[in-house]
Amino acid sequence: MDKEVISLADDKNKEQAERERLSRRRFIKNSGYAVGGLAVGGVLGGVIPWDTDEKKTNPQTKNNKTTNFTHALMNFSQNEFKMVEAASERIFPKDENGPGAKELGVAYYIDHQLAGSYGLNARDYMQPPFFHGEKVQGYQGRLRRKEIFRIALKEMQNYSQKKYKKSFANLSAEEQDAILTDFAEDKVNLMTVSPSGFFDLLRSMTLEGVYSDPLYSGNKDMDGWRMRNFPGNQMSYSDIITGDFKEIPPKSLREHM
């Protein structure tokens, strides 16, 4: 009889322990949602599925453009970035045809290119001896592209302060044009880099940023392509090879990934 009492007591204790365990699990789960709602981005908040009913029922939420996380600096300082953004905008300004370099994110394209192998001239022969070559021979110096930008931007800032007593990014559009023209025509006396060589590099990279695939941080929303009716990176044209000319909405490489 005593053994039966002990057995029933054990079963009751096990049942009570199981209920407490399930209760603790529910508490942890519910408190996790609560804390996650208060501390967005926290550890608990990160595991919560935020695809809420509002997103499913509100069509405007789906159409909102997502943040472009590629727009983060990798090479320039904030001041250098502002200068490049302003200079590229003067090279490719906004007009009635569409957005300019600033709105297209060109400065981010240039920043990211200089942060990688292109900025280090990784595929170029960069060993001495170095000679002053002809223009048709291209660049013949020892400095890498990222070094050219760093030095030239500092010199551009100094020249702007000397000529207008203001930083380049704070100049009027006409004053910025005058500075860039002086660099393009080698009217600035620099010892380390070629002013016109820097301007040519800046202009080339600006146009690359306008028309490159958005995957590389420029040509935001493919608007650079839209201004030219360029279809971008289509997988195939087999269905429209024959017939009249057709305008095709552009596609980025990321749409094929």
Side-chain angles (χ1 to χ4, degrees):
M1 190 70 176
D2 291 340
K3 288 183 180 180
E4 291 180 3
V5 172
I6 292 173
S7 177
L8 289 173
D10 287 342
D11 292 341
K12 190 174 183 179
N13 290 336
K14 288 179 181 179
E15 183 179 348
Q16 179 66 24
E18 180 65 17
R19 282 200 300 268
E20 289 179 0
R21 188 176 70 83
L22 293 174
S23 178
R24 282 197 298 271
R25 287 185 63 186
R26 281 195 297 271
F27 172 77
I28 291 172
K29 181 178 179 181
N30 293 337
S31 63
Y33 277 97
V35 174
L38 294 173
V40 177
V43 175
L44 289 173
V47 299
I48 298 174
W50 291 104
D51 189 14
T52 59
D53 290 338
E54 180 187 357
K55 286 187 178 181
K56 295 175 182 177
T57 57
N58 187 353
Q60 291 184 342
T61 307
K62 290 184 179 181
N63 294 330
N64 287 342
K65 292 183 179 179
T66 56
T67 302
N68 189 341
F69 291 104
T70 68
H71 282 189
L73 296 185
M74 300 179 182
N75 177 69
F76 292 137
S77 66
Q78 286 289 342
N79 288 333
E80 290 171 337
F81 177 79
K82 289 178 182 177
M83 290 182 67
V84 172
E85 193 173 54
S88 61
E89 179 69 17
R90 297 313 308 149
I91 294 172
F92 195 92
K94 179 179 180 178
D95 60 16
E96 66 278 2
N97 296 311
K102 180 177 180 179
E103 193 173 339
L104 290 170
V106 167
Y108 287 106
Y109 167 84
I110 296 174
D111 173 80
H112 295 181
Q113 291 300 307
L114 294 178
S117 59
Y118 181 79
L120 295 171
N121 295 65
R123 297 187 179 183
D124 299 338
Y125 184 80
M126 300 290 290
Q127 300 300 318
F130 298 101
F131 298 103
H132 183 71
E134 300 295 329
K135 286 214 171 199
V136 294
Q137 293 178 302
Y139 179 64
Q140 301 288 314
R142 69 179 72 237
L143 293 173
R144 269 60 177 174
R145 293 184 184 95
K146 69 183 303 178
E147 296 171 329
I148 292 174
F149 260 83
R150 187 134 289 158
I151 295 169
L153 289 175
K154 185 176 181 180
E155 295 290 356
M156 182 182 285
Q157 191 76 295
N158 292 338
Y159 188 69
S160 174
Q161 291 286 355
K162 181 179 178 181
K163 190 168 184 176
Y164 296 110
K165 304 296 187 292
K166 289 185 290 186
S167 63
F168 181 83
N170 293 329
L171 298 178
S172 67
E174 293 75 17
E175 291 169 339
Q176 289 175 346
D177 287 347
I179 295 287
L180 291 171
T181 300
D182 286 349
F183 268 74
E185 297 177 354
D186 281 322
K187 292 182 179 179
V188 187
N189 186 21
L190 302 181
M191 298 294 294
T192 316
V193 297
S194 163
S196 62
F198 165 68
F199 177 80
D200 290 344
L201 179 59
L202 174 63
R203 181 180 182 277
S204 175
M205 295 191 73
T206 296
L207 295 178
E208 289 172 14
V210 170
Y211 297 119
S212 65
D213 192 283
L215 190 67
Y216 301 103
S217 303
N219 189 15
K220 186 179 178 183
D221 296 329
M222 297 180 283
D223 286 339
W225 288 345
R226 286 191 174 91
M227 284 188 282
R228 295 273 183 175
N229 287 327
F230 180 67
N233 292 291
Q234 302 287 331
M235 291 297 289
S236 173
Y237 298 95
S238 59
D239 57 332
I240 57 169
I241 284 178
T242 59
D244 297 331
F245 175 81
K246 296 181 182 179
E247 290 189 11
I248 310 170
K251 283 188 177 181
S252 168
L253 285 170
R254 69 179 62 180
E255 297 181 56
H256 305 305
M257 298 174 75

